Amino acid sequence: MLENWVVTPTCLPLVLRRCHACASDRFRANGKFRVNANHKLLDAWLLILCTGCGETAKLTVLERMNVRSVRPELLDRMHDNDLGLAAELLQDPVVRRRNRIALDWDNAWRLDTGGSERLDREAIDVSVRFAARIPVRPVRLIAEGFGLSRAEAERLIDEGNLVSGVRLGGKLSGDFTFTLKR
């Protein structure tokens, strides 16, 4: 029987970027947007706040776009300060590259294992699905899901009792499956 685990975000990740006002390198997004129109051209930014001093910085979302080329529903979501849109834009590689930022997902996600009892089975097949592109170490997920230490999970990999089609070292942000043999 295949178990399904889901990695879901619990809040927006922190934005890693140097603050020009203090020595902090972390900002938090709260879903606020600033939209500015200059005749037929439109600029839009996602506002982020420094966790150290509270200074506001802007992440460019739209730059000098013709108003007619922007979807009205996108503009409505920005005017409504849509938190879901902020989450989508932070995950967009184009926005991240344009603004030269990275994301810190520590303490911004949770693992839902479904809570089933699985200690009595000889082999356990698990499918891990990501609700968002959250880079997490598979060893950490497996250890958390089974209530093990990371060292115990790594030992199971070394012994061949924990196998997967993907490399379990490093970080993943895409769906994968694994098998735990007792």
Side-chain angles (χ1 to χ4, degrees):
M1 183 173 138
L2 184 70
E3 288 195 24
N4 293 304
W5 291 2
V6 181
V7 178
T8 55
T10 56
C11 61
L12 292 177
L14 291 177
V15 176
L16 299 176
R17 174 178 167 172
R18 175 78 46 212
C19 178
H20 71 277
C22 72
S24 177
D25 64 348
R26 287 178 167 30
F27 286 79
R28 71 178 182 289
N30 58 3
K32 302 273 189 241
F33 289 88
R34 171 141 189 255
V35 180
N36 186 33
N38 185 1
H39 301 289
K40 294 180 182 178
L41 299 178
L42 193 70
D43 293 306
W45 302 274
L46 173 62
L47 302 179
I48 55 177
L49 301 170
C50 176
T51 58
C53 65
E55 186 74 22
T56 300
K58 300 184 289 190
L59 299 179
T60 302
V61 176
L62 301 174
E63 191 170 37
R64 313 306 292 162
M65 294 281 296
N66 190 305
V67 174
R68 292 176 190 241
S69 66
V70 179
R71 294 186 333 267
E73 55 276 359
L74 175 64
L75 208 48
D76 288 343
R77 289 178 75 187
M78 281 193 253
H79 284 302
D80 293 340
N81 292 319
D82 186 335
L83 197 58
L85 177 61
E88 291 171 30
L89 291 171
L90 285 174
Q91 299 232 0
D92 186 343
V94 174
V95 171
R96 289 202 322 254
R97 198 171 25 258
R98 175 190 293 154
N99 292 284
R100 293 187 293 280
I101 61 168
L103 301 178
D104 179 4
W105 281 99
D106 285 351
N107 303 316
W109 58 271
R110 70 178 167 78
L111 177 65
D112 180 15
T113 61
S116 63
E117 281 299 317
R118 52 192 164 274
L119 300 174
D120 55 344
R121 288 189 260 153
E122 194 64 34
I124 303 161
D125 294 316
V126 178
S127 170
V128 179
R129 189 176 63 76
F130 287 80
R133 295 191 54 76
I134 304 170
V136 180
R137 295 184 188 286
V139 171
R140 180 176 175 190
L141 286 178
I142 293 164
E144 187 174 314
F146 288 113
L148 305 170
S149 70
R150 289 214 328 230
E152 288 175 289
E154 287 172 356
R155 183 183 50 78
L156 290 169
I157 293 170
D158 293 342
E159 293 173 353
N161 291 328
L162 184 57
V163 293
S164 177
V166 299
R167 196 167 120 313
L168 295 174
K171 289 187 176 183
L172 286 176
S173 58
D175 300 351
F176 69 98
T177 58
F178 67 90
T179 301
L180 173 66
K181 302 172 197 165
R182 293 267 176 201

